Amino acid sequence: MKSPRLVAAATLSSVLILAACSDADDSADTTSADGATSTSDVAAGTSDAAESTSDAAGSTADDTSETSAPAADATITAEPAGEGAVSIESAERLAAELLTRAAEATQADGDELTTAINSAYRGPARQAAVAADRLEGVTGEPEEVDPDDLPEPNVLAVSRSDDEAPTLIVVQTVPEDGLPELHLIAKPADIDNYRIIWSAPMLPGTEVGTFDRRSIGSPVVREGGGDFVTTPGTALNDLADYIDYPPSGAPDVRTNGYAPQVRQNASEQAGAVSAQASFLERNRVSGGNTYTIYQEDGSGITFGVLERESVFNVRSGSRLIPPDTFTAFADDSSITDSATLDTLVFVAMHLPAEDGSPEMIAAREQIVGASGS
């Protein structure tokens, strides 16, 4: 069966093509091509789950087994000092409970829906879940889910106990018919319970890598930029600049085909309405929603959210007829001045410790609002 939508549809572009008209009554309801990435490379992503489960990134066996004696000429180094902020058993239980709640939320309505979403999500992930439900009249009702059929969550990392918040749990799930997904679960300082704060499918051919053993936990960047080839903020800002339209350059980040595809879709969008409107797209890093956790080799994974505005400025004497995806958020059947689409982009990037470029390994987009006049 299909895995349930946990945050939003796993698309690589949320740009809409609004039907362009010049004082005409033709109201074609058109959206852009989904830009869905082929799943032929899913094996490359799922192989990461196996690699990550070794050396205790996703296997409890390594957390409890004894270490064999080193060879006579081996260099003996000290074990990292620390303790996971939550036990392995608790992390696995929390992951299963929260992902089940998220799946059940896709089946709920009304007050039950609000309760289900609030019990599963926090922050931008919650906003995306609410928006995805609002779009069900356009995208279709999600399939019914049986909690017993959900993919088993694999806890890859637990943050190291440091008496600071939030504490983090990194989880991977591997659906039967899709790309592996990463989820970030956190307990912020102002609540007593964990919530899903970030979720996105991995890009084909990418890998997560290995974290410190879950029993000792993985350090989290609490302040500053960490000790990487570049800071998380710089990497995310470079990515945001890279996918702006009109393009302003190509920063030193690897996106595994994501950025070129987004820019191509934006270019096609601009061309489709060029006679009736100008089009621009701007991305910026969502403040307070970036989390970075170290890996075993000193590199890191940063989980961030970009806020995207796609703006159509209508030329004098023209109008745009928006599709249902737009009118689900804004009750405007005809745009004669301007239209704006708001999208959240959930991204994960690998930050090398010394050499190399930041690399995008996961992405999810969700339209969360629209306005027009």
Side-chain angles (χ1 to χ4, degrees):
M1 63 170 283
K2 283 189 176 181
S3 64
R5 184 188 60 239
L6 297 177
V7 175
T11 64
L12 296 185
S13 176
S14 64
V15 179
L16 286 145
I17 293 181
L18 286 79
C21 301
S22 296
D23 295 329
D25 292 328
D26 184 8
S27 57
D29 184 5
T30 310
T31 57
S32 67
D34 181 46
T37 306
S38 168
T39 57
S40 62
D41 289 327
V42 68
T46 54
S47 66
D48 174 65
E51 293 178 8
S52 297
T53 54
S54 66
D55 198 22
S59 169
T60 55
D62 237 11
D63 289 304
T64 56
S65 62
E66 295 183 0
T67 304
S68 58
D73 59 350
T75 300
I76 302 176
T77 58
E79 286 280 339
E83 181 180 10
V86 62
S87 70
I88 299 167
E89 294 77 11
S90 294
E92 291 173 339
R93 174 182 56 80
L94 285 164
E97 288 179 356
L98 287 168
L99 291 172
T100 298
R101 287 183 208 167
E104 292 173 345
T106 66
Q107 315 296 307
D109 293 296
D111 292 341
E112 182 182 348
L113 170 68
T114 301
T115 300
I117 287 179
N118 288 341
S119 69
Y121 297 107
R122 177 85 169 183
R126 179 187 179 281
Q127 183 182 2
V130 171
D133 177 77
R134 190 167 181 173
L135 283 168
E136 283 184 2
V138 180
T139 60
E141 295 284 335
E143 293 183 5
E144 292 188 10
V145 295
D146 182 342
D148 293 335
D149 291 335
L150 294 175
E152 183 176 354
N154 179 25
V155 175
L156 302 181
V158 173
S159 64
R160 186 166 298 175
S161 180
D162 58 7
D163 297 323
E164 294 191 45
T167 54
L168 303 176
I169 302 170
V170 181
V171 178
Q172 185 186 58
T173 54
V174 184
E176 291 183 0
D177 59 351
L179 293 163
E181 295 195 6
L182 295 178
H183 313 274
L184 188 62
I185 295 171
K187 185 173 75 172
D190 59 338
I191 62 173
D192 294 330
N193 300 309
Y194 283 83
R195 294 288 186 269
I196 300 168
I197 63 169
W198 185 101
S199 184
M202 296 180 65
L203 297 174
T206 60
E207 298 181 351
V208 179
T210 305
F211 296 88
D212 284 330
R213 294 200 314 275
R214 297 168 299 175
S215 56
I216 65 172
S218 298
V220 174
V221 176
R222 298 298 187 186
E223 58 183 28
D227 190 17
F228 309 114
V229 68
T230 190
T231 68
T234 298
L236 289 170
N237 277 304
D238 283 350
L239 174 63
D241 291 343
Y242 192 6
I243 58 178
D244 279 350
Y245 185 87
S248 58
D252 186 22
V253 293
R254 296 172 56 197
T255 68
N256 290 295
Y258 174 81
Q261 184 176 37
V262 171
R263 288 170 63 161
Q264 178 182 346
N265 288 347
S267 178
E268 292 173 355
Q269 173 69 94
V273 298
S274 60
Q276 293 79 21
S278 63
F279 174 75
L280 63 87
E281 202 161 67
R282 291 291 178 261
N283 300 268
R284 67 183 182 88
V285 180
S286 177
N289 293 303
T290 299
Y291 305 89
T292 306
I293 187 166
Y294 277 94
Q295 297 200 281
E296 187 181 45
D297 62 358
S299 64
I301 300 292
T302 190
F303 300 87
V305 180
L306 305 182
E307 298 173 355
R308 175 182 299 162
E309 280 191 344
S310 304
V311 181
F312 300 80
N313 289 308
V314 182
R315 305 188 193 284
S316 177
S318 297
R319 65 191 178 102
L320 297 176
I321 306 300
D324 291 343
T325 313
F326 182 94
T327 56
F329 297 100
D331 187 18
D332 292 292
S333 59
S334 180
I335 306 298
T336 57
D337 184 17
S338 66
T340 301
L341 291 166
D342 299 312
T343 302
L344 292 180
V345 187
F346 297 83
V347 299
M349 300 188 74
H350 175 255
L351 305 178
E354 296 180 355
D355 299 320
S357 302
E359 179 185 8
M360 193 173 178
I361 63 171
R364 184 192 300 274
E365 301 185 353
Q366 175 63 53
I367 297 173
V368 295
S371 60
S373 61

